[in-house]
Amino acid sequence: FTVFTAPSRPGEGSKKLPKQRKLPPGQSFIPVSPRKAPLTPKKAPPTPVTSSMSPKKPPPQSPSPSKMGSYSHEKSGRFDLPELLERLENGPSDDHEIAMAELTQCIWLEGAAAKEKFAGHNGIKLLASTMWADMMVPRSEQAAIDLFLALAAKKSPDPVADIFLDHPDTEGLIDALLIVMQTLIMNEKLQEAACRVFSCLASSGSEMDGTRSGACLAVLNAMDAHFASMHVQEWGLRALYNQCVHSIHAETNKRTMLTSKLDISGASGGDVLERMILQNSSNELQWTASSVLEWACRLCWGLTASSESIAELVSLRIDTIRELLHILERCRAVEDSSSQLQEAILGIMANRVRMPQHK
């Protein structure tokens, strides 16, 4: 068998011939895995772990200072994080949204020091209890998830820098987020923000990424409920990619994705993935559709690079295979088309032909 491995640096693959490797005794399947090291694509990095993950828009914006009253940092000149937490804990429920919006600004602007201070002042437990208390208040829940995202996003995937690592209140916060997603399933903006959170948690390499609580299924249900929303689809696919490729629970998440039935349509995660490929295949040169298609193919590549028992669960219809080949042909004819998309499609094909049932 000839095994084609992805180049470790852009351009390296064109300089080396494919490696020849003999199969170990009794082994009939050698998957080609997507690279886990950061790539240098033209459009977006493959591992979305920071607030600047999306090429389309900046980090989630908090309400403008003019709407925040006398507590705005624009007027005080600084953030008083303990005072904001005090307002969140003991202030009226109508003030929760504003307090969390200011806390979100504080975290984005002041970074790791503010995160540590937030966790040290019992902020994680307080955020979870606020989400439970305001369960039927969409604006408050949106502000809470924006704050959760600011806390989860970071520049490095190093789990040591993760404030949620081994924190006793992390699971309670993740459980609250999952219940909010289930309760407000038709709120598109909220579902998108929640998918961003789970993308960050899964890419961090931390044990606390929501796998044990069902985060993968929650992301799939969000995508199923908002199949016409490009933003939910893109961030859902990014979250699934990190859950199935970069998470320390990747194998568990892969099996969950491919075997679970979704609440609304009754489809499987594999059906949702195939729908994303076909739904966006005719517009692969249009930026939004191209981004969704690229992440769908990356995810599919990661799934086919699994152990044989999981890879054989990836069921792609012959029409989908043909469409992927057509996409590859069209991309090769356009100079500025995504090399990451082409690489992912080739990875899918390489892994499938190595499985005995697809030869």
Side-chain angles (χ1 to χ4, degrees):
F1 289 81
T2 301
V3 179
F4 294 92
T5 56
S8 59
R9 293 186 299 273
E12 187 176 280
S14 61
K15 299 178 183 178
K16 295 185 179 181
L17 293 175
K19 296 182 180 178
Q20 303 290 326
R21 189 189 311 167
K22 293 184 178 179
L23 285 171
Q27 184 172 342
S28 62
F29 175 67
I30 301 180
V32 180
S33 300
R35 295 172 289 191
K36 292 190 177 184
L39 302 171
T40 55
K42 297 177 181 177
K43 296 177 180 177
T47 308
V49 295
T50 71
S51 62
S52 59
M53 293 177 279
S54 172
K56 301 186 300 299
K57 51 187 173 182
Q61 297 296 311
S62 302
S64 62
S66 62
K67 298 180 181 179
M68 292 184 180
S70 60
Y71 292 97
S72 170
H73 73 285
E74 292 290 333
K75 296 183 179 181
S76 64
R78 65 180 178 85
F79 286 105
D80 189 338
L81 194 144
E83 179 187 347
L84 291 172
L85 290 171
E86 174 69 20
R87 287 170 54 200
L88 186 59
E89 182 175 16
N90 299 318
S93 59
D94 292 344
D95 197 33
H96 289 174
E97 180 189 352
I98 297 175
M100 288 187 289
E102 289 200 30
L103 283 166
T104 300
Q105 279 194 317
C106 175
I107 299 300
W108 283 126
L109 293 174
E110 299 184 7
K115 293 181 183 182
E116 293 292 340
K117 196 171 183 181
F118 181 91
H121 283 76
N122 210 28
I124 296 177
K125 183 177 182 179
L126 179 57
L127 178 58
S129 63
T130 303
M131 293 179 74
W132 286 110
D134 295 348
M135 189 64 66
M136 300 308 296
V137 186
R139 290 175 61 90
S140 180
E141 295 296 358
Q142 181 69 55
I145 296 174
D146 288 344
L147 176 55
F148 196 169
L149 175 61
L151 294 165
K154 55 184 184 294
K155 295 180 180 179
S156 168
D158 181 7
V160 175
D162 190 349
I163 64 168
F164 298 112
L165 183 66
D166 296 329
H167 196 287
D169 299 315
T170 298
E171 282 198 69
L173 180 57
I174 291 174
D175 289 344
L177 176 57
L178 291 169
I179 296 300
V180 170
M181 291 181 72
Q182 184 177 6
T183 304
L184 302 174
I185 186 65
M186 300 313 297
N187 187 315
E188 178 184 336
K189 186 179 178 182
L190 185 146
Q191 298 295 324
E192 178 193 345
C195 288
R196 287 174 179 248
V197 171
F198 283 123
S199 179
C200 291
L201 292 177
S203 64
S204 70
S206 171
E207 179 78 20
M208 302 294 188
D209 64 359
T211 295
R212 288 194 295 261
S213 300
C216 182
L217 188 57
V219 171
L220 284 167
N221 280 321
M223 294 176 64
D224 196 32
H226 299 280
F227 63 88
S229 168
M230 289 299 222
H231 297 310
V232 174
Q233 297 305 322
E234 179 182 352
W235 283 100
L237 288 167
R238 287 180 181 235
L240 290 171
Y241 177 83
N242 284 320
Q243 289 169 337
C244 294
V245 175
H246 293 282
S247 169
I248 62 174
H249 304 290
E251 295 302 304
T252 299
N253 287 326
K254 289 175 184 178
R255 196 169 292 278
T256 298
M257 176 184 170
L258 293 170
T259 59
S260 299
K261 297 298 181 183
L262 306 184
D263 294 342
I264 295 178
S265 67
S268 69
D271 295 332
V272 172
L273 177 58
E274 195 164 14
R275 182 175 67 191
M276 287 300 97
I277 293 174
L278 293 173
Q279 184 172 304
N280 295 282
S281 60
S282 61
N283 297 314
E284 77 279 354
L285 301 181
Q286 194 270 330
W287 165 239
T288 307
S290 175
S291 182
V292 171
L293 181 60
E294 182 176 312
W295 283 104
C297 289
R298 288 190 192 184
L299 174 57
C300 191
W301 183 13
L303 293 171
T304 60
S306 310
S307 62
E308 192 165 352
S309 62
I310 293 180
E312 63 187 11
L313 296 174
V314 183
S315 176
L316 295 177
R317 297 191 300 270
I318 190 64
D319 290 344
T320 306
I321 298 295
R322 287 198 187 101
E323 193 58 43
L324 287 173
L325 293 173
H326 292 158
I327 293 168
L328 191 59
E329 290 177 2
R330 293 195 295 268
C331 285
R332 289 168 66 86
V334 179
E335 183 177 353
D336 293 332
S337 60
S338 170
S339 60
Q340 312 301 323
L341 175 58
Q342 297 177 56
E343 181 183 43
I345 294 174
L346 291 171
I348 295 168
M349 299 304 174
N351 286 335
R352 284 184 66 81
V353 299
R354 287 185 174 84
M355 297 181 66
Q357 65 268 37
H358 295 308
K359 286 191 180 301

